[in-house]
Amino acid sequence: MDIAYDWGLDQPAEPAAARAADADVDGLEPEQLPEVRELVAQGWQMAPDAPMIAFLPAVWPSELRTWVPDRAARYEQWYEQDPKTLKVRREQTVQASWESRVEVENDLDALLADAGVTGRPRGRLWLLKPPPGWASVDDFLAELGRQADAAGIDAECSAEYVQLAARLLREPAT
């Protein structure tokens, strides 16, 4: 099955982004952004950020997805270990540097390319609505996992998993 991946390159940002553009977002995580909170209140759900399903917006029906510019902070755990015992001496949560964020984005693009999905626009937070027949995005993902298991497909960002997700999105839910 040949699938055309659509990252919505011509799809404008959700108007909620413009309404919240002047809000102070320093240090806020994605789900804390005012535009995301507004959209969640309207029934949108944040697209999961797990690398294994990073392709989801590209196969999701365009009328059931939207995006806002990603202006959120990311955090990472920093720790120091004792080299002999490997016990953690100190740890703290720090805001991720731009270099670290770019490295993560590069890794994600490489993972998607290995699965045959290219052209992902960076700098977007995706929000999804469940397709007809599904109560939530999580319900869809649970069924995707069940069907992948039944078909012997590993639940990872692979061409087979992407194609299964695209097929399931285009079939009526039962």
Side-chain angles (χ1 to χ4, degrees), residues 1-6 56-63 65 131-132 134 140 162-173:
M1 175 170 136
D2 210 18
I3 298 173
Y5 303 108
D6 172 20
L56 214 51
V59 297
W60 207 260
S62 60
E63 67 278 7
R65 70 165 187 234
W134 301 98
F140 170 82
V162 172
Q163 290 173 4
L164 177 61
R167 245 188 338 271
L168 184 58
L169 280 165
R170 278 139 187 85
E171 295 173 355

Side-chain angles (χ1 to χ4, degrees), residues 62-81:
S62 60
E63 67 278 7
L64 298 174
R65 70 165 187 234
T66 193
W67 65 275
V68 296
D70 184 357
R71 48 194 201 125
R74 298 297 190 285
Y75 295 89
E76 50 194 24
Q77 287 294 117
W78 175 88
Y79 64 94
E80 178 183 346
Q81 285 182 308

